[in-house]
Amino acid sequence: LNSIVKGNGYHLLSISTNNVAVANNNFIWNGGEEPIDISGKIENIYFINNIVYSKQYQMRRIRFLEASRPPDYQSFYFDYNLYHVPDNDVIFYSNNRNYNFKEYQKAFKVEMNSRNVNPEFSNPLQDEYQLKQNSPAIDRGCFYTNPVSQGIKNKFAVKNALFFYKNFVSDDYQRIMFKGINETYDVVDVNYENNTISLNKDTRFALNDEIG
């Protein structure tokens, strides 16, 4: 969550285990091996609100390496991302074939809200990744998940708890908001088996009040 991952060596991201959520990150590729590898017979992979950006005029492929786990596998969710390779398409790989971005969307019916476009960073050559005012990335992301129970005081169930974490350092809690509620909350506990989260204070919300 909320990281800048950059490099020119091995993968920027390699996912080979179950139950992984990757959201709101910048992946900055500047040479080296494939930027992202998804491999193995894995389940429940979420990749949303990320920017994958190449500093070079080409970028190695984003790969789905297990033939039984293509991009549209039933427990994978890839959407609301931005990809950019200057003067070139981003390339995806699955089951011994390469796809450019439009082919990838058409073949797998995934990332329908994603774009292959320059995110307009302020000065990426100097590693300044703030977004310019005209950036197509602004307000293009999605909320993480939504509540599925009204909860008891500050504890309630969500559709997917993978996007939340607990931190025992009080000044570094994960801070969240509900859509339509102008107030912030800190996540103080997460139960991934039961998909429940606990906040630092009681709240009232509707079940369609998405969380981000």
Side-chain angles (χ1 to χ4, degrees):
L1 283 167
N2 305 329
S3 298
I4 296 175
V5 183
K6 60 180 182 175
N8 59 1
Y10 199 52
H11 311 305
L12 299 176
L13 175 69
S14 180
I15 301 175
S16 57
T17 190
N18 299 326
N19 304 317
V20 177
V22 181
N24 292 64
N25 304 286
N26 293 338
F27 293 96
I28 311 299
W29 190 87
N30 195 22
E33 298 299 316
E34 280 71 20
I36 298 171
D37 267 0
I38 297 93
S39 61
K41 293 184 177 180
I42 55 181
E43 304 284 345
N44 299 325
I45 309 301
Y46 298 84
F47 188 83
I48 63 168
N49 299 350
N50 299 290
I51 297 175
V52 182
Y53 180 95
S54 175
K55 285 188 172 184
Q56 301 190 15
Y57 287 96
Q58 59 182 1
M59 185 172 70
R60 299 290 288 269
R61 304 169 297 180
I62 295 171
R63 301 190 302 183
F64 294 79
L65 291 172
E66 173 62 55
S68 67
R69 299 294 191 272
D72 60 351
Y73 181 65
Q74 59 186 356
S75 70
F76 287 2
Y77 184 73
F78 291 76
D79 207 356
Y80 293 92
N81 302 297
L82 261 61
Y83 301 93
H84 179 63
V85 183
D87 297 333
N88 268 302
D89 268 330
V90 62
I91 299 298
F92 297 84
Y93 170 86
S94 178
N95 201 15
N96 296 317
R97 180 178 167 183
N98 292 334
Y99 300 84
N100 66 32
F101 184 70
K102 289 184 178 179
E103 291 170 339
Y104 166 72
Q105 285 182 310
K106 183 177 180 180
F108 299 105
K109 302 296 187 293
V110 296
E111 308 239 34
M112 305 311 290
N113 296 290
S114 298
R115 300 179 69 186
N116 188 182
V117 65
N118 190 339
E120 299 292 345
F121 290 129
S122 59
N123 191 352
L125 295 180
Q126 297 298 319
D127 289 328
E128 296 173 3
Y129 298 109
Q130 298 88 352
L131 297 174
K132 295 179 180 177
Q133 288 186 348
N134 63 341
S135 168
I138 294 174
D139 293 333
R140 291 289 301 186
C142 65
F143 288 88
Y144 294 147
T145 189
N146 60 276
V148 295
S149 73
Q150 287 293 350
I152 301 173
K153 295 185 177 180
N154 68 327
K155 183 178 180 179
F156 56 94
V158 295
K159 185 176 181 181
N160 186 352
L162 287 176
F163 293 102
F164 306 102
Y165 63 89
K166 57 183 176 181
N167 195 321
F168 296 106
V169 181
S170 61
D171 60 353
D172 196 26
Y173 287 127
Q174 181 183 16
R175 185 154 292 174
I176 64 170
M177 293 184 71
F178 293 84
K179 184 178 181 180
I181 300 176
N182 188 26
E183 189 172 358
T184 61
Y185 301 84
D186 292 340
V187 178
V188 296
D189 198 15
V190 182
N191 185 312
Y192 298 107
E193 292 185 1
N194 297 327
N195 277 319
T196 59
I197 66 174
S198 298
L199 306 180
N200 63 320
K201 53 189 175 182
D202 297 352
T203 182
R204 290 173 174 260
F205 53 81
L207 295 183
N208 60 351
D209 285 340
E210 296 172 294
I211 305 170

